[in-house]
Amino acid sequence: MTAAVTVAQIREPAAMRAAVLESRAAGRRVGFVPTMGALHAGHASLVEQAALECDDVVVSIFVNPSQFGPTEDFARYPRTLAADAALLAPRGVRWIFVPEAADMYPPGAATRVVVDGPARRFEGEIRPGHFAGVATVVCRLFHCVPADVAYFGAKDWQQTLVVKRMVHDLGLPIEIAVCPTVREADGLAMSSRNAYLAAEERRRAVALHEGLCAAERLWQSGGAVAAVEQAIRDPLETRGIAIDYAAVVAADTLEPLPAAGAQPPAIAIVAGRLGGTRLIDNRLLPPRRRPG
Ligand code: PAF
């Protein structure tokens, strides 16, 4: 009988930092996957990529209170540590970092990392303070886990831009790798929040993916930006999904595309609400065959 593989869990930031520094001092490349737990195949793909490229992989699991608004789902966010550890064990993870809130935010904590630029629009407008919470905790996590490279999923595209901006602006010594979105068989992007969807909501949720695919087709055939944005909206409207935004913008800044001249890479982004569940998704758009 083979013994079950278990992964060492570290709670103390100082112990976590010491372990990573020791590994790097021995010439090992360390990869880091920050998460809030409730792990799914999307997280597994980040971990697998990290394991391919690095000698040691660290996964953090911390449901970060400061990135949730007062009316959001912090209290009910799924906490599934045993299942998460079981998913990570066979994937070559060396350490799981599981800090407590008091380890991440000492009593009286009064410091926040506030990113402007890519954090301003979309999620930044709809969830005030969200990206300050993300940037603050990611900055703190990068101090606790001083890895060579950190892996983030493209599903949270705006988050990846915010993290890259912060790393660049603060000169943090870590590379950022962005990995492709993993999808369910019908195209719905994997998300820990999919677990909130009732069966009937789950069936309708595929509309986000359908809208983005329709947008890409129209984009490729030269549709104007407004028409491409409407193509994202159509399946959501048909299925009664409340739309927070549906837009085609510059992929690197999330600013509007220039009306004329050289076109930067574009991305279609969408956020919708089904009952109490908020879902986001995006699709990088290929260079245009002809301008719209
Ligand atoms: O993407 C997430 O799971 C979180 O926003 C992160 C990056 C772990 C910060 O809490």
Side-chain angles (χ1 to χ4, degrees):
M1 204 168 84
T2 26
V5 187
T6 55
V7 185
Q9 296 185 13
I10 299 183
R11 183 200 135 174
E12 282 281 314
M16 185 71 256
R17 184 172 165 82
V20 173
L21 290 178
E22 189 181 328
S23 171
R24 291 188 64 185
R28 296 173 71 79
R29 181 170 169 85
V30 178
F32 175 35
V33 182
T35 82
M36 298 206 300
L39 303 182
H40 49 66
H43 297 108
S45 77
L46 300 179
V47 170
E48 284 158 10
Q49 190 62 30
L52 271 180
E53 296 176 356
C54 301
D55 301 300
D56 291 323
V57 178
V58 187
V59 175
S60 66
I61 296 180
F62 176 62
V63 185
N64 172 36
S66 74
Q67 70 189 74
F68 291 81
T71 60
E72 292 183 0
D73 55 342
F74 173 68
R76 72 167 178 147
Y77 199 85
R79 286 149 172 93
T80 56
L81 183 57
D84 293 346
L87 177 139
L88 296 175
R91 293 189 161 80
V93 173
R94 179 148 185 206
W95 298 289
I96 306 177
F97 179 44
V98 281
E100 298 284 334
D103 302 321
M104 300 303 282
Y105 298 105
T111 305
R112 284 190 321 149
V113 178
V114 179
V115 179
D116 195 358
R120 260 190 318 111
R121 305 183 67 202
F122 304 112
E123 295 299 298
E125 274 166 2
I126 286 160
R127 305 180 67 189
H130 168 68
F131 284 127
V134 169
T136 303
V137 82
V138 170
C139 191
R140 176 90 180 102
L141 285 167
F142 285 173
H143 184 74
C144 301
V145 185
D148 294 272
V149 49
Y151 294 82
F152 292 84
K155 195 210 46 125
D156 296 305
W157 185 259
Q158 191 171 7
Q159 171 171 278
T160 69
L161 297 182
V162 170
V163 169
K164 286 197 238 177
R165 186 76 254 172
M166 173 187 75
V167 164
H168 184 265
D169 292 353
L170 300 181
L172 302 181
I174 191 161
E175 290 165 43
I176 302 301
V178 177
C179 301
T181 302
V182 177
R183 298 181 179 279
E184 304 279 1
D186 66 354
L188 177 68
M190 296 264 181
S191 163
S192 304
R193 290 189 167 99
N194 293 351
Y196 298 152
L197 297 168
E200 165 277 327
E201 291 171 334
R202 170 65 188 83
R203 281 191 289 277
R204 288 191 286 138
V206 72
L208 278 80
H209 178 62
E210 287 176 1
L212 292 169
C213 291
E216 179 177 343
R217 287 192 295 275
L218 188 55
W219 175 260
Q220 280 188 294
S221 64
V225 167
V228 176
E229 291 179 341
Q230 187 56 45
I232 307 173
R233 305 177 81 91
D234 283 342
L236 283 86
E237 287 170 355
T238 306
R239 289 195 176 77
I241 298 175
I243 300 170
D244 280 347
Y245 55 79
V248 174
V249 286
D252 290 348
T253 60
L254 302 189
E255 294 297 330
L257 293 167
Q263 293 293 307
I267 190 167
I269 56 175
V270 63
R273 280 171 285 119
L274 292 98
T277 306
R278 201 166 167 276
L279 301 177
I280 62 174
D281 200 355
N282 64 74
R283 197 166 183 92
L284 282 167
L285 298 173
R288 294 267 214 175
R289 282 207 289 268
R290 58 191 157 89

